[in-house]
Amino acid sequence: MSAYYAADATAPVTEQSTPVPVLVAFAGPAPQSRLTVAFRIFLAIPQLIVLWLLGVAAGVITIIGWFGALFTGRLPVFAADFLTGYLRWLGRVYAYNYLLTDVYPPFTLDDADYPVRLAVTPGRLNRLAVLFRFFLLIPCWIVQAVVSYGALTIFMFVTWLIVLVTGQMPDAIHQGLAAVLRYQVRTLGFATMLTSAYPGGLFGDPQAPAGYGDPQAPAGYGDPQAPAGYGAQPGYAQAGYGAPAAGPAGGLSWRLVLSAAARKLVILFIVLGVVLASIVGAVEAALAGNSVSALSAAKQVVADIQPTRDALNNYSTHVQACNKKLSCVEGVDRQVAATLSTFATELRGIPMPSQATTANAALAAAVSDTAAKFAKLSTAPTATKYISEAQASGLQQSVDKINQTYDNLGTALSS
C-alpha cells in the first residue's frame, strides 16, 4: 500500500493540516542472548552491506524526489514508498546494533512484526522549505552529530559490557538510546522530505492524559483495525513507552515517554558529545596544523639549502681556477664557510613539527661543523700548513654527513 494512504481512509493522509513527524514505536528492554550480544557487530555485517546499497539508491531517489517536490509540493509516490521502506530498514538495523532488541532484522522494505516499528505520513511540502532543505537541516544535523558522539561511542561500549554481563539492557538506558534513534530517524525523514515536521522529541513525549489514547498517531497509525504495517503488534507494550492502557490495544505505542533517569542520560549524551567532538576537533586541527607545518618546513629547507648545494658542488671548480694560489683558495674556503654558516642559522630559525626537530638540529650541527672546518682552512699561513689541515680535517666525511642528515630530515618531515 502506498505510504500516502492510511487504513480505511477516504482521502490521503497528506491532507492533514498539521505536519506529522516520523513515528517510531519501541518494545521495552527484554532478555538478550549474551552470545549474540558478544558478536553483534559481526552478525550485523550482512544488514549493513544491504543498508549501504539501499542508502546509495535512497540518495539518488531523494534527489529525484527533491525536484518533484520542488515543482509539485509533494514527494512522488514511488519516492515516498521506497524512502519509507529504507527508513524502516535503517531503523530496525540501528536498533539491533544499539542493542535495543535481540531480534534479527528482516530483509524487507515492508513493515514487519518487529520490536521497533515506524510510521510515516508524507504530506504536502512547502516549496520554499524544499528549496532550502539543506540549510534547514544544519541545526538538527549538528544536534544529531553531538548526541550520536555522546551516545554511540564510549557510552555504547559501556552499554555493550552491561548487556553482555547482565543479559538485558537497563530500562533508562534503553529509553535514552531509543530517543537517540528516534531523533536520527526523524532527521533522516525530514531530510528525505517524507515529512515537513521538523525533527524533535529528543527528550521524549509528554505523558498522555488519563483517558486519552495515543494522540500522536495519525489516522491509520495505531488503530487496531489498521492494515499490517501501520498498527500495533501484541506483546511489545512496556512501561515507560506510553501509557499501557492508553496506547494501541495490547501493542506498541507511538508515544515515547522518558523517565527522569532517561532524560538525564540524554543530557549526558549531549554533554559527552560536545566534549568528544571538541577533543576530536582539536586533534584533527593539530594534525592538520602539523601537516601544514611539515609541508611549509620542507619547502623552506629546500629553498635554503640551494646556495649551500651550489657552493659545495662548485668548490672543486673554483679551487682549480685559483691555479694553486693560496690566497685565492682560502678566499673560496671563506665564501663556502659563510654560505654554510648562513644555512645553519636559517635551519635553526625554521619552525619544525615535533617529529622533525631532532633531525633538523642534527643537520644544523653538521652544517655548522663543516663551516668551521672551511673557516679554519682559510686561515692557514702556508700551503704546507693548508695541506696538513685539509688532510686532518676529514672534510669529505663532514660533507657526507650533511647529505645524510639532510636525507634524515626529509624522511622525518614526510612521516
Side-chain angles (χ1 to χ4, degrees):
M1 187 172 84
S2 169
Y4 275 112
Y5 295 92
D8 302 325
T10 57
V13 175
T14 52
E15 302 306 324
Q16 299 175 102
S17 60
T18 303
V20 179
V22 175
L23 301 180
V24 187
F26 299 90
Q32 301 193 37
S33 166
R34 291 178 175 84
L35 186 61
T36 63
V37 170
F39 296 98
R40 183 64 52 95
I41 188 62
F42 301 104
L43 294 172
I45 289 176
Q47 289 282 351
L48 293 174
I49 293 173
V50 175
L51 191 62
W52 180 82
L53 295 173
L54 290 173
V56 174
V60 174
I61 291 176
T62 297
I63 294 173
I64 298 173
W66 181 83
F67 283 101
L70 187 62
F71 287 102
T72 68
R74 189 187 296 273
L75 194 64
V77 173
F78 81 91
D81 286 341
F82 179 84
L83 293 173
T84 297
Y86 170 67
L87 211 58
R88 290 191 190 108
W89 201 315
L90 179 141
R92 292 190 292 252
V93 173
Y94 278 19
Y96 184 70
N97 284 341
Y98 297 172
L99 305 177
L100 293 174
T101 177
D102 198 33
V103 181
Y104 199 77
F107 286 87
T108 178
L109 292 171
D110 296 329
D111 204 358
D113 184 359
Y114 195 74
V116 177
R117 307 294 298 280
L118 186 144
V120 179
T121 55
R124 284 201 172 275
L125 301 168
N126 183 299
R127 291 182 177 87
L128 190 61
V130 171
L131 180 63
F132 294 101
R133 183 65 51 133
F134 175 82
F135 300 100
L136 293 173
L137 278 166
I138 292 175
C140 56
W141 267 341
I142 293 174
V143 173
Q144 177 185 272
V146 170
V147 173
S148 297
Y149 258 128
L152 307 178
T153 51
I154 298 173
F155 185 86
M156 192 69 235
F157 177 72
V158 174
T159 300
W160 177 78
L161 290 177
I162 292 173
V163 179
L164 185 63
V165 172
T166 65
Q168 183 168 329
M169 183 180 292
D171 189 68
I173 296 178
H174 193 279
Q175 292 179 33
L177 291 176
V180 171
L181 174 56
R182 188 176 70 164
Y183 191 83
Q184 291 176 324
V185 169
R186 286 183 170 180
T187 299
L188 185 56
F190 182 74
T192 54
M193 294 161 292
L194 286 170
T195 177
S196 57
Y198 202 74
L202 181 58
F203 287 91
D205 303 316
Q207 183 68 48
Y212 287 84
D214 199 359
Q216 278 201 52
Y221 292 89
D223 184 344
Q225 301 304 316
Y230 295 95
Q233 297 295 320
Y236 292 134
Q238 298 289 334
Y241 292 82
L252 295 176
S253 171
W254 301 112
R255 181 178 293 278
L256 176 61
V257 180
L258 301 187
S259 65
R263 288 196 180 93
K264 290 177 182 178
L265 276 180
V266 174
I267 294 173
L268 175 63
F269 296 158
I270 295 173
V271 173
L272 189 58
V274 170
V275 172
L276 290 177
S278 300
I279 293 174
V280 171
V283 170
E284 289 179 348
L287 292 175
N290 190 62
S291 176
V292 171
S293 174
L295 180 61
S296 175
K299 289 181 178 179
Q300 190 64 46
V301 171
V302 170
D304 290 346
I305 201 175
Q306 192 58 48
T308 296
R309 182 175 285 142
D310 292 340
L312 293 175
N313 290 340
N314 297 325
Y315 178 72
S316 296
T317 301
H318 291 157
V319 168
Q320 290 174 2
C322 288
N323 293 320
K324 299 183 180 180
K325 292 181 180 180
L326 180 60
S327 59
C328 178
V329 173
E330 290 181 337
V332 173
D333 290 337
R334 281 191 293 271
Q335 289 178 354
V336 173
T339 301
L340 290 171
S341 296
T342 300
F343 180 46
T345 301
E346 291 172 339
L347 280 173
R348 295 186 176 97
I350 297 175
M352 288 282 168
S354 58
Q355 77 271 16
T357 53
T358 301
N360 183 62
L363 176 59
V367 172
S368 294
D369 178 66
T370 307
K373 291 179 179 180
F374 274 105
K376 186 175 182 180
L377 285 176
S378 69
T379 61
T382 64
T384 302
K385 185 66 173 176
Y386 183 93
I387 294 172
S388 175
E389 290 284 353
Q391 291 175 341
S393 65
L395 195 59
Q396 185 58 52
Q397 290 84 349
S398 296
V399 173
D400 291 342
K401 188 174 182 180
I402 289 177
N403 291 330
Q404 181 61 50
T405 52
Y406 177 75
D407 291 340
N408 293 341
L409 178 58
T411 302
L413 286 172
S414 62
S415 61

